[in-house]
Amino acid sequence: MKVLVLGGTGEARALASALHGRPGFAVVSSLAGRVRDPRLPVGEVRVGGFGGPDKLAEWLAGAGIDAVVDATHPFAARISASAAEAAGKAGVPLLMLRRPGWPARPGWHWVSDLAEAAAVADGLGERIFLTTGRQGLSAFADSARWFLIRCVDPPEEPLPAKRLVLLDRGPYTVDTELALLRGHGVDVLVTKDSGGPLTVAKVDAAQEMGVPVVVVRRPPAPDVPVVGAVDEVLDWLAP
């Protein structure tokens, strides 16, 4: 069975490791190519987009793919929608591997998108820790607040005028996140409901300090089967 794993997450890398060398399976991991120095999974890797659902459907047929696992980031809505459409057109079964979101906590302010996050955060404090990734930061560009912006790759303009950009990637610890928040006088945290353990330390630290957290809700997922763990994917793939 030849499996395409749409990846870029820790879960995708774990799945590729579980399938690599497994009797009866061949795995191809696909990365969007948006990160300059991504953490690569084991096995065959394809980097770059497919050109939309029609092109992806053609690729699936040409590559002899028997199953697709969408293990992309919970906020990669465009890729997930394209995969669902392409798999349907190609007649290839699709499963979504999606880590559960973080349970809500006291002091959280839920918003639907980055524009709403910018408006809410602006009314909560003066020094904002922005951890939503490097895309969509233009939503905060007109704010007069000070921002600590953390992302893996350098973000593109427009950005807030008063800012410090920190290039880094998880996993993080509560102690280091506490030191970061205190060292920069952060009084608001803005994040996405990414879920998982790699970046949860920031919300733990914010809760310990009593810092309000603005949380962007996940976009709607396609109407496809969803599991939350690698073992469940292996069960689904089992003959």
Side-chain angles (χ1 to χ4, degrees):
M1 177 180 287
K2 192 171 185 180
V3 182
L4 173 67
V5 177
L6 301 174
T9 61
E11 293 83 5
R13 291 189 294 274
L15 177 59
S17 295
L19 290 174
H20 185 63
R22 194 181 185 97
F25 288 93
V27 60
V28 180
S29 295
S30 174
L31 305 181
R34 294 177 178 172
V35 177
R36 292 183 181 179
D37 186 23
R39 291 171 174 162
L40 296 178
V42 298
E44 184 179 346
V45 178
R46 180 190 183 282
V47 179
F50 291 93
D54 290 336
K55 293 293 186 180
L56 175 53
E58 293 176 7
W59 188 92
L60 293 174
I65 299 297
D66 299 300
V68 179
V69 180
D70 176 5
T72 56
H73 193 275
F75 282 81
R78 190 173 178 180
I79 299 173
S80 293
S82 181
E85 183 177 344
K89 289 182 176 181
V92 176
L94 167 70
L95 182 70
M96 179 176 285
L97 172 58
R98 189 61 35 96
R99 73 184 77 132
W102 293 316
R105 307 187 189 191
W108 281 18
H109 301 259
W110 291 92
V111 296
S112 298
D113 53 34
L114 292 177
E116 188 180 357
V120 172
D122 201 64
L124 291 174
E126 299 289 335
R127 298 178 67 82
I128 301 170
F129 185 19
L130 189 53
T131 64
T132 57
R134 69 185 180 92
Q135 296 183 337
L137 298 183
S138 59
F140 302 85
D142 294 333
S143 176
R145 308 303 185 206
W146 181 88
F147 288 84
L148 174 63
I149 302 172
R150 184 169 69 191
C151 45
V152 176
D153 291 327
E156 296 180 357
E157 299 281 359
L159 297 170
K162 294 187 289 186
R163 67 182 185 267
L164 172 64
V165 176
L166 175 62
L167 301 182
D168 196 9
R169 73 169 92 201
Y172 306 102
T173 68
V174 175
D175 286 344
T176 57
E177 296 291 64
L178 283 170
L180 190 67
L181 268 63
R182 289 169 177 156
H184 292 283
V186 169
D187 54 14
V188 183
L189 168 64
V190 179
T191 187
K192 292 179 176 178
D193 182 22
S194 300
L198 292 182
T199 60
V200 72
K202 62 189 173 188
V203 296
D204 291 336
Q207 184 173 21
E208 184 171 329
M209 290 179 59
V211 170
V213 182
V214 180
V215 186
V216 182
R217 294 185 183 91
R218 295 181 174 192
D223 185 17
V224 299
V226 181
V227 297
V230 169
D231 287 346
E232 294 176 275
V233 179
L234 298 178
D235 290 341
W236 179 76
L237 290 171

PDB file of all heavy atoms in Angstrom, residues 1-3 18-28 66-67 233-239:
ATOM      1  N   MET A   1       0.844  -1.189   0.000  1.00  0.00           N
ATOM      2  CA  MET A   1       0.000   0.000   0.000  1.00  0.00           C
ATOM      3  C   MET A   1       0.882   1.243   0.000  1.00  0.00           C
ATOM      4  O   MET A   1       1.758   1.390   0.843  1.00  0.00           O
ATOM      5  CB  MET A   1      -0.915   0.016   1.237  1.00  0.00           C
ATOM      6  CG  MET A   1      -1.767   1.260   1.329  1.00  0.00           C
ATOM      7  SD  MET A   1      -2.852   1.289   2.789  1.00  0.00           S
ATOM      8  CE  MET A   1      -4.063   0.055   2.282  1.00  0.00           C
ATOM      9  N   LYS A   2       0.629   2.142  -0.916  1.00  0.00           N
ATOM     10  CA  LYS A   2       1.396   3.377  -1.013  1.00  0.00           C
ATOM     11  C   LYS A   2       0.576   4.501  -0.399  1.00  0.00           C
ATOM     12  O   LYS A   2      -0.538   4.789  -0.844  1.00  0.00           O
ATOM     13  CB  LYS A   2       1.751   3.693  -2.459  1.00  0.00           C
ATOM     14  CG  LYS A   2       2.792   4.795  -2.614  1.00  0.00           C
ATOM     15  CD  LYS A   2       3.267   4.914  -4.053  1.00  0.00           C
ATOM     16  CE  LYS A   2       4.395   5.937  -4.189  1.00  0.00           C
ATOM     17  NZ  LYS A   2       4.861   6.056  -5.595  1.00  0.00           N
ATOM     18  N   VAL A   3       1.146   5.144   0.620  1.00  0.00           N
ATOM     19  CA  VAL A   3       0.428   6.136   1.411  1.00  0.00           C
ATOM     20  C   VAL A   3       1.067   7.504   1.224  1.00  0.00           C
ATOM     21  O   VAL A   3       2.282   7.654   1.366  1.00  0.00           O
ATOM     22  CB  VAL A   3       0.436   5.759   2.909  1.00  0.00           C
ATOM     23  CG1 VAL A   3      -0.355   6.781   3.725  1.00  0.00           C
ATOM     24  CG2 VAL A   3      -0.120   4.361   3.113  1.00  0.00           C
ATOM     25  N   ALA A  18       6.513   5.504  11.614  1.00  0.00           N
ATOM     26  CA  ALA A  18       5.821   4.240  11.878  1.00  0.00           C
ATOM     27  C   ALA A  18       5.624   3.427  10.602  1.00  0.00           C
ATOM     28  O   ALA A  18       5.622   2.186  10.640  1.00  0.00           O
ATOM     29  CB  ALA A  18       4.477   4.520  12.539  1.00  0.00           C
ATOM     30  N   LEU A  19       5.466   4.093   9.468  1.00  0.00           N
ATOM     31  CA  LEU A  19       5.216   3.398   8.211  1.00  0.00           C
ATOM     32  C   LEU A  19       6.497   3.050   7.464  1.00  0.00           C
ATOM     33  O   LEU A  19       6.518   2.087   6.685  1.00  0.00           O
ATOM     34  CB  LEU A  19       4.332   4.259   7.302  1.00  0.00           C
ATOM     35  CG  LEU A  19       2.881   4.430   7.730  1.00  0.00           C
ATOM     36  CD1 LEU A  19       2.175   5.426   6.810  1.00  0.00           C
ATOM     37  CD2 LEU A  19       2.145   3.097   7.718  1.00  0.00           C
ATOM     38  N   HIS A  20       7.564   3.826   7.697  1.00  0.00           N
ATOM     39  CA  HIS A  20       8.801   3.613   6.959  1.00  0.00           C
ATOM     40  C   HIS A  20       9.394   2.247   7.294  1.00  0.00           C
ATOM     41  O   HIS A  20       9.675   1.932   8.453  1.00  0.00           O
ATOM     42  CB  HIS A  20       9.811   4.708   7.300  1.00  0.00           C
ATOM     43  CG  HIS A  20      11.077   4.634   6.503  1.00  0.00           C
ATOM     44  ND1 HIS A  20      11.123   4.787   5.141  1.00  0.00           N
ATOM     45  CD2 HIS A  20      12.364   4.406   6.892  1.00  0.00           C
ATOM     46  CE1 HIS A  20      12.353   4.671   4.721  1.00  0.00           C
ATOM     47  NE2 HIS A  20      13.132   4.437   5.754  1.00  0.00           N
ATOM     48  N   GLY A  21       9.597   1.433   6.272  1.00  0.00           N
ATOM     49  CA  GLY A  21      10.151   0.098   6.487  1.00  0.00           C
ATOM     50  C   GLY A  21       9.146  -0.918   6.965  1.00  0.00           C
ATOM     51  O   GLY A  21       9.503  -2.086   7.181  1.00  0.00           O
ATOM     52  N   ARG A  22       7.887  -0.521   7.158  1.00  0.00           N
ATOM     53  CA  ARG A  22       6.848  -1.452   7.597  1.00  0.00           C
ATOM     54  C   ARG A  22       6.487  -2.360   6.424  1.00  0.00           C
ATOM     55  O   ARG A  22       6.203  -1.879   5.319  1.00  0.00           O
ATOM     56  CB  ARG A  22       5.627  -0.668   8.061  1.00  0.00           C
ATOM     57  CG  ARG A  22       4.598  -1.458   8.856  1.00  0.00           C
ATOM     58  CD  ARG A  22       3.440  -0.529   9.221  1.00  0.00           C
ATOM     59  NE  ARG A  22       2.465  -1.159  10.067  1.00  0.00           N
ATOM     60  CZ  ARG A  22       2.422  -1.058  11.381  1.00  0.00           C
ATOM     61  NH1 ARG A  22       3.347  -0.340  12.010  1.00  0.00           N
ATOM     62  NH2 ARG A  22       1.481  -1.653  12.075  1.00  0.00           N
ATOM     63  N   PRO A  23       6.487  -3.683   6.610  1.00  0.00           N
ATOM     64  CA  PRO A  23       6.180  -4.595   5.501  1.00  0.00           C
ATOM     65  C   PRO A  23       4.828  -4.287   4.869  1.00  0.00           C
ATOM     66  O   PRO A  23       3.826  -4.088   5.562  1.00  0.00           O
ATOM     67  CB  PRO A  23       6.171  -5.970   6.174  1.00  0.00           C
ATOM     68  CG  PRO A  23       7.038  -5.813   7.386  1.00  0.00           C
ATOM     69  CD  PRO A  23       6.808  -4.402   7.859  1.00  0.00           C
ATOM     70  N   GLY A  24       4.825  -4.211   3.560  1.00  0.00           N
ATOM     71  CA  GLY A  24       3.583  -3.987   2.835  1.00  0.00           C
ATOM     72  C   GLY A  24       3.218  -2.532   2.641  1.00  0.00           C
ATOM     73  O   GLY A  24       2.161  -2.236   2.072  1.00  0.00           O
ATOM     74  N   PHE A  25       4.081  -1.598   3.090  1.00  0.00           N
ATOM     75  CA  PHE A  25       3.753  -0.178   2.985  1.00  0.00           C
ATOM     76  C   PHE A  25       4.903   0.599   2.352  1.00  0.00           C
ATOM     77  O   PHE A  25       6.074   0.278   2.552  1.00  0.00           O
ATOM     78  CB  PHE A  25       3.458   0.433   4.359  1.00  0.00           C
ATOM     79  CG  PHE A  25       2.146   0.002   4.943  1.00  0.00           C
ATOM     80  CD1 PHE A  25       2.076  -1.090   5.792  1.00  0.00           C
ATOM     81  CD2 PHE A  25       0.977   0.681   4.640  1.00  0.00           C
ATOM     82  CE1 PHE A  25       0.863  -1.504   6.331  1.00  0.00           C
ATOM     83  CE2 PHE A  25      -0.232   0.288   5.173  1.00  0.00           C
ATOM     84  CZ  PHE A  25      -0.295  -0.808   6.021  1.00  0.00           C
ATOM     85  N   ALA A  26       4.538   1.619   1.598  1.00  0.00           N
ATOM     86  CA  ALA A  26       5.483   2.630   1.131  1.00  0.00           C
ATOM     87  C   ALA A  26       4.864   3.976   1.454  1.00  0.00           C
ATOM     88  O   ALA A  26       3.658   4.177   1.267  1.00  0.00           O
ATOM     89  CB  ALA A  26       5.714   2.496  -0.371  1.00  0.00           C
ATOM     90  N   VAL A  27       5.662   4.901   1.959  1.00  0.00           N
ATOM     91  CA  VAL A  27       5.134   6.191   2.384  1.00  0.00           C
ATOM     92  C   VAL A  27       5.849   7.327   1.674  1.00  0.00           C
ATOM     93  O   VAL A  27       7.070   7.301   1.488  1.00  0.00           O
ATOM     94  CB  VAL A  27       5.237   6.358   3.921  1.00  0.00           C
ATOM     95  CG1 VAL A  27       6.692   6.263   4.393  1.00  0.00           C
ATOM     96  CG2 VAL A  27       4.614   7.671   4.372  1.00  0.00           C
ATOM     97  N   VAL A  28       5.073   8.306   1.249  1.00  0.00           N
ATOM     98  CA  VAL A  28       5.594   9.545   0.677  1.00  0.00           C
ATOM     99  C   VAL A  28       5.055  10.690   1.529  1.00  0.00           C
ATOM    100  O   VAL A  28       3.837  10.817   1.710  1.00  0.00           O
ATOM    101  CB  VAL A  28       5.150   9.748  -0.785  1.00  0.00           C
ATOM    102  CG1 VAL A  28       5.720  11.060  -1.333  1.00  0.00           C
ATOM    103  CG2 VAL A  28       5.561   8.575  -1.648  1.00  0.00           C
ATOM    104  N   ASP A  66      -2.521   4.772  -2.803  1.00  0.00           N
ATOM    105  CA  ASP A  66      -3.660   3.957  -2.360  1.00  0.00           C
ATOM    106  C   ASP A  66      -4.445   4.591  -1.224  1.00  0.00           C
ATOM    107  O   ASP A  66      -5.605   4.242  -0.997  1.00  0.00           O
ATOM    108  CB  ASP A  66      -3.163   2.579  -1.902  1.00  0.00           C
ATOM    109  CG  ASP A  66      -2.473   1.819  -3.021  1.00  0.00           C
ATOM    110  OD1 ASP A  66      -3.139   1.558  -4.040  1.00  0.00           O
ATOM    111  OD2 ASP A  66      -1.276   1.499  -2.883  1.00  0.00           O
ATOM    112  N   ALA A  67      -3.815   5.496  -0.474  1.00  0.00           N
ATOM    113  CA  ALA A  67      -4.489   6.140   0.655  1.00  0.00           C
ATOM    114  C   ALA A  67      -3.782   7.453   0.951  1.00  0.00           C
ATOM    115  O   ALA A  67      -2.565   7.581   0.772  1.00  0.00           O
ATOM    116  CB  ALA A  67      -4.486   5.247   1.896  1.00  0.00           C
ATOM    117  N   VAL A 233      -4.453   5.839  12.924  1.00  0.00           N
ATOM    118  CA  VAL A 233      -4.177   5.817  11.479  1.00  0.00           C
ATOM    119  C   VAL A 233      -3.693   4.440  11.058  1.00  0.00           C
ATOM    120  O   VAL A 233      -4.121   3.894  10.029  1.00  0.00           O
ATOM    121  CB  VAL A 233      -3.138   6.888  11.104  1.00  0.00           C
ATOM    122  CG1 VAL A 233      -2.851   6.833   9.598  1.00  0.00           C
ATOM    123  CG2 VAL A 233      -3.606   8.271  11.501  1.00  0.00           C
ATOM    124  N   LEU A 234      -2.806   3.844  11.841  1.00  0.00           N
ATOM    125  CA  LEU A 234      -2.278   2.522  11.516  1.00  0.00           C
ATOM    126  C   LEU A 234      -3.395   1.485  11.499  1.00  0.00           C
ATOM    127  O   LEU A 234      -3.400   0.578  10.646  1.00  0.00           O
ATOM    128  CB  LEU A 234      -1.196   2.134  12.523  1.00  0.00           C
ATOM    129  CG  LEU A 234       0.042   3.045  12.556  1.00  0.00           C
ATOM    130  CD1 LEU A 234       1.017   2.580  13.619  1.00  0.00           C
ATOM    131  CD2 LEU A 234       0.716   3.119  11.187  1.00  0.00           C
ATOM    132  N   ASP A 235      -4.338   1.625  12.431  1.00  0.00           N
ATOM    133  CA  ASP A 235      -5.487   0.707  12.430  1.00  0.00           C
ATOM    134  C   ASP A 235      -6.319   0.891  11.158  1.00  0.00           C
ATOM    135  O   ASP A 235      -6.805  -0.087  10.567  1.00  0.00           O
ATOM    136  CB  ASP A 235      -6.369   0.956  13.655  1.00  0.00           C
ATOM    137  CG  ASP A 235      -5.704   0.519  14.957  1.00  0.00           C
ATOM    138  OD1 ASP A 235      -4.751  -0.295  14.891  1.00  0.00           O
ATOM    139  OD2 ASP A 235      -6.139   0.981  16.019  1.00  0.00           O
ATOM    140  N   TRP A 236      -6.492   2.147  10.730  1.00  0.00           N
ATOM    141  CA  TRP A 236      -7.274   2.442   9.528  1.00  0.00           C
ATOM    142  C   TRP A 236      -6.595   1.883   8.280  1.00  0.00           C
ATOM    143  O   TRP A 236      -7.269   1.417   7.348  1.00  0.00           O
ATOM    144  CB  TRP A 236      -7.444   3.959   9.425  1.00  0.00           C
ATOM    145  CG  TRP A 236      -8.211   4.455   8.238  1.00  0.00           C
ATOM    146  CD1 TRP A 236      -9.571   4.408   8.054  1.00  0.00           C
ATOM    147  CD2 TRP A 236      -7.672   5.100   7.073  1.00  0.00           C
ATOM    148  NE1 TRP A 236      -9.903   4.993   6.854  1.00  0.00           N
ATOM    149  CE2 TRP A 236      -8.759   5.438   6.237  1.00  0.00           C
ATOM    150  CE3 TRP A 236      -6.385   5.466   6.681  1.00  0.00           C
ATOM    151  CZ2 TRP A 236      -8.601   6.077   5.011  1.00  0.00           C
ATOM    152  CZ3 TRP A 236      -6.218   6.098   5.459  1.00  0.00           C
ATOM    153  CH2 TRP A 236      -7.312   6.408   4.643  1.00  0.00           C
ATOM    154  N   LEU A 237      -5.275   1.912   8.257  1.00  0.00           N
ATOM    155  CA  LEU A 237      -4.523   1.429   7.101  1.00  0.00           C
ATOM    156  C   LEU A 237      -4.370  -0.091   7.079  1.00  0.00           C
ATOM    157  O   LEU A 237      -4.035  -0.664   6.033  1.00  0.00           O
ATOM    158  CB  LEU A 237      -3.125   2.060   7.095  1.00  0.00           C
ATOM    159  CG  LEU A 237      -3.043   3.554   6.792  1.00  0.00           C
ATOM    160  CD1 LEU A 237      -1.624   4.064   7.031  1.00  0.00           C
ATOM    161  CD2 LEU A 237      -3.480   3.850   5.367  1.00  0.00           C
ATOM    162  N   ALA A 238      -4.605  -0.720   8.208  1.00  0.00           N
ATOM    163  CA  ALA A 238      -4.392  -2.165   8.290  1.00  0.00           C
ATOM    164  C   ALA A 238      -5.321  -2.904   7.316  1.00  0.00           C
ATOM    165  O   ALA A 238      -6.504  -2.563   7.208  1.00  0.00           O
ATOM    166  CB  ALA A 238      -4.645  -2.648   9.714  1.00  0.00           C
ATOM    167  N   PRO A 239      -4.788  -3.897   6.627  1.00  0.00           N
ATOM    168  CA  PRO A 239      -5.622  -4.654   5.650  1.00  0.00           C
ATOM    169  C   PRO A 239      -6.693  -5.471   6.365  1.00  0.00           C
ATOM    170  O   PRO A 239      -6.571  -5.806   7.524  1.00  0.00           O
ATOM    171  CB  PRO A 239      -4.592  -5.543   4.948  1.00  0.00           C
ATOM    172  CG  PRO A 239      -3.439  -5.651   5.881  1.00  0.00           C
ATOM    173  CD  PRO A 239      -3.406  -4.376   6.642  1.00  0.00           C
TER     174      PRO A 239
END
